[in-house]
């Protein structure tokens, strides 16, 4: 399928606020400022280094599996306008920082294939999507902020030119399966041949033009983007669109679909294509002025 293109605008963090939420915000503000009693205290934790990526247009190939005439085709390309800046961790979460969450009994122990020699300067690996969510909740409590896993689209925005393009590079309508099979075979072979499996120190893989460090090295990163399967008819119209939110996209040198509980993707947990060498994560910070007031709601699972 020839790449389709359209333009849309998204906010880095959802800006929709129900009117009733302002009353809740007022109450939370009173608690935080001591007007209605002090909020529960806990020892504060220094925030990790971040980069703030300024608003811009960027090209994004939509994540998911697309099929036409019964054969796999490339997903469409969109021009996306990020309407505001995005604040994201400069580095992946380190093994040492994750260990602090484990020591607080807030995170399950990681299960890395390669044990880091210097946990303070090495990314954590051997963590599942669920583990990363637990760490985000713990860091949010300890820093009095809101930290969340990024979407695949947010990673594409932050990574700039380092973000992978999963296109097979075959310009056809899906009617020639041999061309698709060969393109897919060569792509997967190249991925396996280029591997450097052992995680490296922070900064080893350099920075993107946005300042994001080590993206697309050999540690794939969890996102909250669910795997999606889209079926198109002969004219390219969508006939079915199904998402599975027990399987999430982890992005690095290429996108991989992993079950939420997988810690070691080489152990058979990769749903599509070549498995990642390692899997870790970095987080996005909610920088809206009222974000700290939303933290109690966020901790209760409310997406606000």
């Amino acid at each position: 399928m020839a790449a389709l293109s359209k333009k849309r605008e998204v906010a880095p963090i959802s800006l929709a606020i129900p009117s009733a939420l302002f009353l809740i915000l007022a109450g939370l503000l009173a608690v935080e400022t001591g007007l209605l009693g002090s909020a529960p205290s806990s020892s504060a934790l220094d925030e990790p280094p971040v980069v703030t990526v300024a608003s811009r247009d960027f090209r994004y190939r939509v994540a998911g599996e697309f099929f036409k005439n019964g054969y796999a085709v490339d997903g469409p390309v969109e021009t996306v306008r990020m309407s505001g800046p995005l604040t994201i961790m400069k580095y992946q979460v380190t093994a040492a920082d994750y260990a602090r969450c484990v020591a607080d009994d807030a995170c399950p122990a990681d299960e890395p294939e390669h044990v880091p020699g210097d946990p303070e300067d090495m990314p954590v690996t051997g963590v599942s999507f669920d583990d990363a969510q637990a760490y985000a909740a713990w860091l949010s409590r300890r820093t009095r902020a809101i930290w969340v896993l990024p979407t695949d689209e947010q990673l594409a925005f932050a990574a700039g030119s380092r973000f992978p393009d999963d296109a097979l590079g075959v310009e056809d309508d899906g009617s020639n399966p041999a061309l698709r099979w060969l393109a897919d075979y060569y792509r997967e072979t190249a991925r396996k041949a280029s591997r450097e499996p052992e995680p490296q120190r922070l900064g080893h893989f350099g920075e993107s033009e946005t300042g994001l460090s080590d993206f697309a090295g050999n540690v794939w990163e969890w996102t909250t983007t669910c795997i999606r399967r889209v079926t198109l008819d002969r004219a390219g119209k969508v006939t079915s669109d199904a998402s599975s939110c027990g399987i999430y996209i982890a992005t690095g040198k290429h996108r991989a679909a992993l079950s939420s509980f997988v810690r070691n993707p080489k152990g058979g947990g990769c749903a599509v294509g070549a498995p990642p060498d390692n899997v870790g994560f970095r987080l996005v910070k909610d920088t809206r002025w009222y974000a700290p007031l939303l933290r109690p709601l966020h901790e209760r699972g409310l997406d606000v």
Side-chain angles (χ1 to χ4, degrees):
M1 177 178 66
L4 304 176
S5 181
K6 62 180 181 179
K7 186 170 182 177
R8 60 187 172 85
E9 183 169 326
V10 297
I13 300 289
S14 175
L15 298 177
I17 311 174
S19 57
L21 186 56
F22 283 105
L23 295 177
I24 300 174
L25 286 173
L28 292 173
L29 178 61
V31 171
E32 289 288 330
T33 57
L35 295 176
L36 296 179
S38 299
S41 62
S42 61
S43 55
L45 190 72
D46 290 340
E47 292 193 356
V50 298
V51 295
T52 298
V53 186
S55 173
R56 73 175 194 281
D57 291 355
F58 67 103
R59 300 275 285 174
Y60 176 69
R61 187 175 299 280
V62 178
E65 299 177 272
F66 289 77
F67 296 87
K68 186 177 182 181
N69 298 337
Y71 301 110
V73 295
D74 293 331
V77 174
E78 298 179 343
T79 298
V80 181
R81 173 71 177 176
M82 192 67 73
S83 62
L86 179 75
T87 299
I88 187 170
M89 289 181 175
K90 180 177 179 68
Y91 303 101
Q92 294 151 345
V93 172
T94 67
D97 283 337
Y98 188 84
R100 294 180 180 99
C101 182
V102 175
D104 276 356
D105 293 324
C107 292
D110 50 318
E111 299 176 4
E113 181 180 0
H114 306 279
V115 178
D118 182 4
E120 294 286 353
D121 198 32
M122 298 287 285
V124 68
T125 59
V127 287
S128 70
F129 174 88
D130 298 330
D131 300 338
Q133 292 281 63
Y135 181 87
W138 173 80
L139 185 66
S140 296
R141 291 193 299 271
R142 293 293 303 273
T143 61
R144 309 285 180 85
I146 292 180
W147 297 88
V148 296
L149 283 172
T151 64
D152 182 75
E153 192 174 76
Q154 286 172 329
L155 270 185
F157 173 68
S161 61
R162 289 204 171 195
F163 195 80
D165 186 350
D166 286 344
L168 291 173
V170 179
E171 294 296 332
D172 76 300
D173 62 359
S175 60
N176 190 337
L179 290 176
R180 286 279 150 181
W181 185 89
L182 285 171
D184 193 54
Y185 172 80
Y186 286 127
R187 180 180 65 177
E188 296 303 311
T189 300
R191 287 173 177 176
K192 293 176 182 178
S194 65
R195 290 196 173 168
E196 179 187 18
E198 189 167 346
Q200 302 295 314
R201 291 180 177 273
L202 301 184
H204 175 81
F205 294 102
E207 297 181 2
S208 69
E209 68 272 21
T210 62
L212 199 71
S213 184
D214 298 316
F215 182 80
N218 60 13
V219 176
W220 274 243
E221 302 181 20
W222 284 109
T223 77
T224 58
T225 299
C226 305
I227 188 65
R228 179 183 176 208
R229 185 184 179 95
V230 180
T231 302
L232 308 171
D233 63 16
R234 291 182 179 274
K237 183 179 179 181
V238 174
T239 59
S240 69
D241 188 343
S243 296
S244 175
C245 282
I247 300 176
Y248 294 90
I249 299 296
T251 308
K253 292 179 182 176
H254 63 269
R255 288 167 169 152
L258 302 175
S259 297
S260 63
F261 56 81
V262 166
R263 292 191 173 113
N264 182 357
K266 295 178 185 176
C270 188
V272 179
D277 294 318
N278 309 279
V279 62
F281 64 100
R282 76 181 84 213
L283 301 174
V284 166
K285 183 182 180 183
D286 188 341
T287 57
R288 294 174 294 181
W289 67 267
Y290 51 84
L293 305 180
L294 298 177
R295 188 170 51 83
L297 303 178
H298 181 75
E299 291 174 358
R300 288 166 174 77
L302 298 176
D303 187 12
V304 290

